[in-house]
Amino acid sequence: MKKLVFLTGAGMSAESGISTFRDSGGLWEQYPVMQVASIEGYEANPELVINFYNDRRKQLLDVKPCEGHRLVASMEKDYDVTVVTQNVDNLHEKAGSSKVIHLHGELMKATSSINPNDSRCIVTLPEDNPVIRMGQKAADGSQLRPFIVWFGESVPMIEPAIEEVMKADIVVVIGTSLNVYPAAGLLSYVSRDCKIYLIDPADVRYDRSLGITHIKKGASEGMKELIAEHIPVRHE
């Protein structure tokens, strides 16, 4: 069974109605990025940051996976699939993907303020009330904080992601610029024989020597074309 790795970004979840950060009207225009997405911002005003992510979780409960998410999950019938995502939502999992690597953390989880990568402190928040409260403690006694990789923090899942990309026969990039880390960095680990596809409606600059096939469509329509014209499947 061939190894298929998806690298997904904000454009994947945008079709489900998730607010993106960088696009026009995105969250960065409403909140200074370093205020809500850095350890310095958290230490300066933990309540503001915690409430910001509480609001993001409430939004997540109101959205569903798009057709693109579901088509990615369906590829597991014919391929050994790993999804490497920059998104912190759980829409890939809700769509049925069984192996998802979250590079930037997971919105529906909380962790220690002292050692956020301590597995003993990482907890999944309940779907019916996914709220972190001030004074709520992690297993090590520190304030629970969002399980999100903020600016300036290490990306512990990058090594597992590199390992998956190195083994890939096919890599499909959806909804993330090939000029932005980590997607651009991960592509430097593909094997010489690996086929690379990019699904993005925008013009994207990339290294032409990689032989990338660019499908200039959104996530759902792009996945339809990928399956119809480029990557054969036996199970529709």
Side-chain angles (χ1 to χ4, degrees), residues 4-8 170-174 197 199 223 226 231:
L4 172 57
V5 175
F6 288 94
L7 306 179
T8 70
I170 305 167
V171 170
V172 181
V173 182
I174 306 177
Y197 297 89
I199 297 174
M223 277 299 300
L226 182 78
I231 300 182

Side-chain angles (χ1 to χ4, degrees), residues 41-184:
Y42 176 69
E43 290 173 348
N45 193 339
E47 187 169 11
L48 180 146
V49 175
I50 285 172
N51 286 335
F52 173 84
Y53 289 97
N54 284 341
D55 289 341
R56 302 284 72 73
R57 262 179 244 108
K58 291 173 185 175
Q59 180 197 28
L60 181 57
L61 295 178
D62 292 331
V63 300
K64 296 178 180 179
C66 68
E67 187 173 10
H69 288 108
R70 295 191 294 272
L71 289 172
V72 166
S74 74
M75 301 300 281
E76 293 187 11
K77 297 171 184 174
D78 294 287
Y79 296 88
D80 174 10
V81 177
T82 298
V83 177
V84 178
T85 186
Q86 298 174 76
N87 300 330
V88 297
D89 60 63
N90 59 357
L91 294 176
H92 278 298
E93 288 91 340
K94 283 189 171 182
S97 289
S98 60
K99 189 174 183 181
V100 183
I101 295 174
H102 286 270
L103 293 176
H104 295 162
E106 298 180 61
L107 187 58
M108 291 299 292
K109 293 183 179 181
T111 190
S112 160
S113 289
I114 297 173
N115 187 357
N117 297 312
D118 185 345
S119 60
R120 298 170 295 181
C121 296
I122 300 169
V123 297
T124 299
L125 298 167
E127 283 266 348
D128 59 347
N129 188 31
V131 173
I132 299 174
R133 298 179 300 277
M134 291 300 297
Q136 193 173 0
K137 303 297 185 184
D140 61 5
S142 68
Q143 168 67 44
L144 267 181
R145 57 159 268 190
F147 183 54
I148 302 292
V149 177
W150 287 324
F151 287 103
E153 293 187 307
S154 63
V155 184
M157 297 308 293
I158 194 68
E159 291 298 330
I162 289 171
E163 291 177 12
E164 294 298 313
V165 169
M166 290 176 71
K167 296 183 292 186
D169 297 297
I170 305 167
V171 170
V172 181
V173 182
I174 306 177
T176 180
S177 169
L178 290 175
N179 301 301
V180 176
Y181 181 88

